[in-house]
Amino acid sequence: QSALTQPASVSGSPAQSITISCTGTSSDVGGYNLVSWYQQNPGKAPKLMIYEVSRRPSGVSNRFSGSKSGNTASLTISGLQAEDEADYYCCSYTGSSTYVFGPGTKVTVL
Amino acid sequence: EVQLVESGGGWVQPGGSLRLSCAASGFTFSSYDMTWVRQAPGKGLEWVSYISGSSSTIYYADSVKGRFTISRDNAKNSLYLQMNSLRAEDTAVYYCARVLGRLVADHFDYWGQGTLVTVSS
């Protein structure tokens, strides 16, 4: 159960768009359209932002979108706002109700 | 309102045991699969274990297999994690989360606030 790969940090100015990548293998990201993304603020529990690659739970801003190509999934935040500053984790289903997370990406709003 | 409240964390010496609990409310607990995810201090999230609604299906991460046991009591709306042979590397905040999915249980839609487990001599 190897971890996925994410950039350690991504930054952008308010109103800009940023994209966080999440690279795995054909056994996880590439093998299933079952990638989810979680936002975590310091000292808080993670919050589901995207599931099944591109679906948004109710209540999550439409500024957050997800996509996938091959073994790499991506989370895009459009119209970046100060409140988006947080850690973001991707997670992939790996079969038989097992899962693997990425190491997390710290998003900084400049 | 869905609520998940973990308890049972604390300090334990290496080789010791601890049992975590997660009290669920606001939904029909028995209808949902559940999971434990942990986060070492300053580190990322790590999936630990999964249990189906009926307890018929259980899986563990390799890092805890043979040492941790997940269980649930649907009558008490509670999820448990029995942790034995604890190691320093098990030190983490442990979160319980509800598992959801359309075809397979693939994402975690509600999380508890976490309970800290510290393994140290």
Side-chain angles (χ1 to χ4, degrees), chain A residues 1 33-36 38 40 43-48 50-52 55 89 91-93 96-104, chain B residues 35 37 39 43-47 50 57 59-63 65 95 99 101-109 111-113:
Chain A
Q1 295 155 339
N33 287 322
L34 297 173
V35 176
S36 51
Y38 302 87
Q40 187 179 35
K44 301 295 186 181
K47 174 187 175 184
L48 177 67
I50 295 286
Y51 66 98
E52 293 173 12
R55 294 180 177 268
Y89 294 90
C91 179
S92 178
Y93 182 80
S96 299
S97 298
T98 60
Y99 314 85
V100 63
F101 283 94
Chain B
T35 196
V37 174
Q39 185 170 34
K43 303 296 184 181
L45 301 171
E46 179 189 14
W47 172 74
Y50 159 97
T57 303
Y59 292 104
Y60 299 98
D62 290 342
S63 57
K65 202 173 295 183
Y95 295 100
V99 191
R102 292 185 300 160
L103 296 179
V104 296
D106 66 277
H107 59 277
F108 316 131
D109 65 338
W111 297 63
Q113 85 290 348

Side-chain angles (χ1 to χ4, degrees), chain B residues 7-21 36-38 48-49 60 63-71 80-87 89-95 115-119:
Chain B
S7 61
W11 173 84
V12 61
Q13 291 186 326
S17 298
L18 214 54
R19 189 196 196 205
L20 305 184
S21 298
W36 288 97
V37 174
R38 68 184 180 183
V48 172
S49 184
Y60 299 98
S63 57
V64 305
K65 202 173 295 183
R67 300 187 299 122
F68 289 13
T69 302
I70 191 172
S71 63
Y80 306 102
L81 186 67
Q82 177 66 43
M83 305 185 295
N84 298 332
S85 303
L86 282 162
R87 307 166 180 167
E89 54 264 36
D90 295 319
T91 294
V93 173
Y94 284 74
Y95 295 100
T115 187
L116 176 62
V117 172
T118 302
V119 184

Side-chain angles (χ1 to χ4, degrees), chain A residues 12-19 61-65 76-85 88 107 109:
Chain A
S13 300
Q16 283 188 331
S17 293
I18 62 168
T19 297
S61 170
N62 59 10
R63 298 185 299 103
F64 291 84
S65 61
T76 297
I77 308 175
S78 306
L80 198 61
Q81 298 180 0
E83 67 198 48
D84 301 330
E85 193 162 284
Y88 291 83
V107 168
V109 182

Side-chain angles (χ1 to χ4, degrees), chain A residues 66-79:
Chain A
S67 62
K68 194 189 87 167
S69 177
N71 294 336
T72 298
S74 298
L75 173 72
T76 297
I77 308 175
S78 306

